[in-house]
Amino acid sequence: MNNNELPDIQHTTHPEFPFYINSVGVENVKVPFKLDSLYGGVHNLIANVQMTTDLRDDIKGISMGMLLRTLLQYLDKPLKHSIIKQILKEFKIAVETDSEHSEIKLEFEMPINKKAPKSNIVFPQYYKCSFGGKLDHEEFRFFQKVKVFYASYCPCSASLCEHLGSGFPHAQRSFAELLIEVKPENVIWLETLIELIENAVKTSPSPILRRVDEQEYAKIAKE
């Protein structure tokens, strides 16, 4: 029996309960992909991928494998928002449902070399990032998100230490998340978003610290 003779209930049967479903697809799929770096070169990364589309009430279901097969042909080139738009257009056609809404989200960790403030030791720091693309009818929207950890002094602890003179408030781990929508004509690097946050908070930790670096971070945080 060849492929054309194999049964396909998606096309040969109708749904028993004809309900419209706004989101069907796959999630938590690990996928290798490439990403250009603002500082030169290409990252080879692993993303956690979610791909979904809507389903008309007169269609039995979709071929889930078609979503990933559409993505597969683009994994050998650096991912950009223009490519994500093309992926969404193609998998709307591939699943054969005439869908009006399709979406893809990739969550991954991107490395940036960080330098310690005093010892100048350089080591890669990984940042949680994501790309998100939505295609509603023919309108494409693209989103980027970064998450940056940093150290901060507890304001409650700081107020308790004021009268001690030599006392210092304890440090605590904090994070900042930045989610933006990028217009099709623009290009905004993830590294630029991360730098924007780190320049604001000043105390984003480096992976490797010596005592002089620990002292410097404490000084910056107190200021």
Side-chain angles (χ1 to χ4, degrees), residues 8-9 30 33 38 48 57 89 101 128-129 170-171 174:
D8 185 355
I9 63 171
K30 299 294 184 184
F33 77 103
L38 173 62
N48 190 42
D57 60 4
K89 284 187 172 182
H101 312 285
K128 292 184 178 180
C129 306
H170 70 79
S174 305

Side-chain angles (χ1 to χ4, degrees), residues 136-181:
D136 292 319
H137 301 281
E138 293 303 316
E139 180 186 2
F140 175 68
R141 301 178 69 188
F142 178 67
F143 302 87
Q144 296 180 176
K145 184 167 75 170
V146 297
K147 185 174 186 178
V148 177
F149 286 95
Y150 64 97
S152 61
Y153 274 144
C154 171
C156 179
S157 175
S159 66
L160 296 173
C161 294
E162 286 180 355
H163 70 286
L164 298 177
S166 59
F168 293 94
H170 70 79
Q172 58 188 11
R173 189 173 179 84
S174 305
F175 68 87
E177 282 188 337
L178 178 59
L179 172 66
I180 66 168
E181 181 175 355

Side-chain angles (χ1 to χ4, degrees), residues 118-119 209-217:
K118 286 294 185 180
S119 65
L209 299 176
R210 302 192 68 178
R211 281 177 294 176
V212 291
D213 303 309
E214 295 275 8
Q215 183 183 56
E216 183 67 14
Y217 275 122

Side-chain angles (χ1 to χ4, degrees), residues 75-195:
L75 298 180
D76 61 344
K77 58 190 69 176
L79 201 61
K80 298 178 174 65
H81 62 302
S82 58
I83 292 179
I84 289 179
K85 180 180 180 180
Q86 185 63 30
I87 292 170
L88 290 175
K89 284 187 172 182
E90 290 189 14
F91 89 63
K92 281 180 64 175
I93 298 171
V95 296
E96 300 179 331
T97 63
D98 297 322
S99 63
E100 296 181 349
H101 312 285
S102 56
E103 186 172 352
I104 183 171
K105 184 176 182 181
L106 298 97
E107 297 178 331
F108 53 93
E109 293 191 350
M110 181 184 68
I112 297 178
N113 285 332
K114 291 289 300 262
K115 182 187 291 186
K118 286 294 185 180
S119 65
N120 294 325
I121 297 175
V122 177
F123 202 82
Q125 172 78 38
Y126 280 80
Y127 296 83
K128 292 184 178 180
C129 306
S130 70
F131 286 157
K134 295 182 179 181
L135 192 62
D136 292 319
H137 301 281
E138 293 303 316
E139 180 186 2
F140 175 68
R141 301 178 69 188
F142 178 67
F143 302 87
Q144 296 180 176
K145 184 167 75 170
V146 297
K147 185 174 186 178
V148 177
F149 286 95
Y150 64 97
S152 61
Y153 274 144
C154 171
C156 179
S157 175
S159 66
L160 296 173
C161 294
E162 286 180 355
H163 70 286
L164 298 177
S166 59
F168 293 94
H170 70 79
Q172 58 188 11
R173 189 173 179 84
S174 305
F175 68 87
E177 282 188 337
L178 178 59
L179 172 66
I180 66 168
E181 181 175 355
V182 183
K183 297 301 181 182
E185 65 272 15
N186 295 333
V187 174
I188 300 177
W189 294 86
L190 293 171
E191 291 91 338
T192 301
L193 300 179
I194 291 169
E195 288 178 4

